[in-house]
Amino acid sequence: MAEPMTATAHGSHGGDEVTKRDFLKLVAGAGAAVGAGAMAWPLIDSMNPSKDVLALSSIDVELKSIQPGQAITTMWRGKPVFVRHRTAEEIKAARAEVKGLADPATDQDRVKPGKDEWLVVVGICTHLGCVPVGNKPTDQRGEYGGWFCPCHGSQYDTSGRVRHGPAPANLPIPPYAFLTDTKIKIG
Amino acid sequence: MAGLHKSEFTNPVINWVDSRLPVFTMMQKEYGVFPTPKNFNYFWNFGALAMVTLMIMIATGIFLAMNYTAHTSMAFDSVQRIMRDVNYGWLIRYVHSNGASMFFLVTYIHIFRGLYYGSYKAPRELLWILGVVILLIMMATAFFGYVLPWGQMSYWGATVITNLFSAIPVVGEPIVTWLWGGFSVANPTLNRFFALHYLLPFVLIGIVFLHIAALHVTGSNNPLGIDVKGPQDTLPFHPYYTIKDSVGLCVFLAIFAAFVFFAPNFFGAADNEIPANPMVTPAEIVPEWYLLPFYAILRSVPSKLGGVLMMFGSIGLLFIVPWLDTSPVRSCKFRPVYRWFLALLVIACIVLGMVGAHRPEGIWVILGRVGTAYYFLHFLVILPVLGKLERPLPLPESISKPVLRGGGPLPAGAAAKPMEKA
């Protein structure tokens, strides 16, 4: 039934001619597509972090008990954060000139001015999200004395920069500030 | 067009229903008298076995869901409760967890059957593509399911796999945050994985239906890879292949039951008996065996984005296999050279599987790279080039000829038709 009717409709307008009906079809189709898209967005966005997740604010970390050469793991927004009390040799190693970094950065940019001994990084390997080991001096720390990721063998130096392995970027620095000389606020 | 279907069933009740909704006629046509090549070997069991396994997985899964709690603080304990307190909970869960391995086992053999006998070639390309879609959905479903017990492997497997998407330039990080519903794998992640794990098997049923519908348009391939020439080449599906499938099913269920009752944790990882701890990564993260070859490909490439692309590419390649293979001959029975390369591909996949289970050190790095190289070489170079160079063996005139040794009755004119291939 539809076949002959369409033929007549086209025939009476000379085939190729653009008609009002073509316009109405396009507008109706576009309207439906926009409507469906507008309905899809709330569904898609509902999977993004909710307000209660976003509200997981900041944490304070007491530094007094961390001995030089040691690091602690603390939790911020569900992620481990390493706070490391670096020794003089570790700072020296981090400041040494290195060429060919995968993600070039100087150690000075990765610590707060005047607080060279404190390195604060998100403890998540930038490869596929494992937690690297190396907070305890007895842990395997890799060739560069920082952290070693057991999953796929990435190695980080004492500035948290990637030096070896498949990780594409350095351990990220979370936003933080010193409240006093022995206390920081992360977040 | 007076409305009613003309049913041939004599039982009045069946006739009444069939006249209004001809499901009985359809079943009779598609599974009763459906003409099926008469030379099937046992490789042709595996589609039916996969179908049965899907049903077992859905049935056990529904009952597990009745006792499972999708919350990070209770998921691990609710699984322990299923194992200890729920009546037959241990049985249902072991059938379900071992069933996943069995499902992949029969599916991989089913895929190998398709590759060996050229079942992907015209006119069955779309049938093959639907099969690859089924494989992808199966992998996603298995991954979501593995996260639900919320053990260490669940948690860190989820972390590593979702982080694969962070390799995408620019939009990678927002996508991962969106997948997680937070800034790490956490309760919102577990909730949605449970929802998707429940949903996808039903999507699978839909695609399996299309897979079978497409099969019933083109008809089955067969071990000789030549087209059916007429009724003398076929048997009705029932009772011949319902019985043959039943024999295979008995053997399969015996193996399945042996794992469930005598080695229920054979495929499991001990680390998953430890509740998830976001602060400590297990010394080694190893996926389930059926994903190991792909994991090995991921790790063999010394670049994050490159590894992810190669891993997805290794499955993506399967979609275009019908067009990569240039040989006009379907069955490897008549491809004396390609046969050996296909054997090499199987060895490469097994080696990659072993590589995936070991730390990427020493010999395993080299083996991983060699295996990955061969996998891609096979599909991208050998398959297109060999089809042009290889001289296939002469094809038999018809399916009946070798089966009946000397011919069988050929209808007039059938023998005169030119051979359709080679």
Side-chain angles (χ1 to χ4, degrees), chain A residues 44-50 53-54 73-75 77-80 126-131 148 150-152 166 168, chain B residues 156 159-160 163-164 166 174 177-178 180-184 188 192 278-279 281-283 285 295 298-299 304 359-360:
Chain A
I44 294 167
D45 194 39
S46 75
M47 290 174 71
N48 269 319
S50 54
V53 171
L54 290 171
T73 307
T74 176
M75 203 190 221
R77 294 213 300 200
K79 299 176 186 188
T126 54
H127 180 224
L128 293 175
C130 298
V131 178
F148 172 80
C151 293
H152 306 102
Chain B
W156 290 101
T159 298
V160 168
N163 261 308
L164 294 179
S166 71
T177 304
W178 177 73
W180 288 340
F183 301 100
S184 59
R192 65 190 57 184
M279 295 287 114
T281 307
I285 300 183
Y295 192 61
L298 169 76
R299 295 199 299 190
K304 182 170 167 179
R359 269 168 184 267

Side-chain angles (χ1 to χ4, degrees), chain A residues 86-155:
Chain A
R86 300 190 294 180
T87 61
E89 298 95 81
E90 285 174 344
I91 299 170
K92 215 175 121 209
R95 296 279 152 106
E97 182 112 4
V98 271
K99 288 209 175 67
L101 284 173
D103 181 10
T106 62
D107 185 57
Q108 281 85 343
D109 291 341
R110 295 175 57 79
V111 295
K112 299 284 176 200
K115 305 284 183 190
D116 293 344
E117 67 271 37
W118 295 105
L119 178 69
V120 182
V121 290
V122 175
I124 291 181
C125 180
T126 54
H127 180 224
L128 293 175
C130 298
V131 178
V133 294
N135 277 358
K136 284 196 281 283
T138 49
D139 282 345
Q140 187 180 358
R141 283 177 161 177
E143 272 178 61
Y144 303 93
W147 288 274
F148 172 80
C149 182
C151 293
H152 306 102
S154 291
Q155 297 184 18

Side-chain angles (χ1 to χ4, degrees), chain A residues 36-97:
Chain A
M39 271 316 294
W41 177 246
L43 299 179
I44 294 167
D45 194 39
S46 75
M47 290 174 71
N48 269 319
S50 54
K51 303 223 168 37
D52 62 315
V53 171
L54 290 171
L56 284 180
S57 51
S58 52
I59 53 154
D60 292 355
V61 181
E62 189 65 55
L63 303 180
K64 241 183 266 169
S65 58
I66 310 169
Q67 299 301 312
Q70 284 208 332
I72 59 151
T73 307
T74 176
M75 203 190 221
W76 171 66
R77 294 213 300 200
K79 299 176 186 188
V81 171
F82 296 156
V83 181
R84 182 148 171 170
H85 193 170
R86 300 190 294 180
T87 61
E89 298 95 81
E90 285 174 344
I91 299 170
K92 215 175 121 209
R95 296 279 152 106
E97 182 112 4

Side-chain angles (χ1 to χ4, degrees), chain B residues 303-328:
Chain B
S303 134
K304 182 170 167 179
L305 182 60
V308 172
L309 288 178
M310 293 279 270
M311 187 184 75
F312 285 112
S314 65
I315 301 169
L317 267 185
L318 295 177
F319 282 104
I320 54 167
V321 162
W323 294 277
L324 289 175
D325 190 346
T326 53
S327 172

Side-chain angles (χ1 to χ4, degrees), chain B residues 151-168:
Chain B
Q152 273 289 67
M153 276 300 165
S154 298
Y155 182 89
W156 290 101
T159 298
V160 168
I161 301 295
T162 48
N163 261 308
L164 294 179
F165 294 92
S166 71
I168 304 167

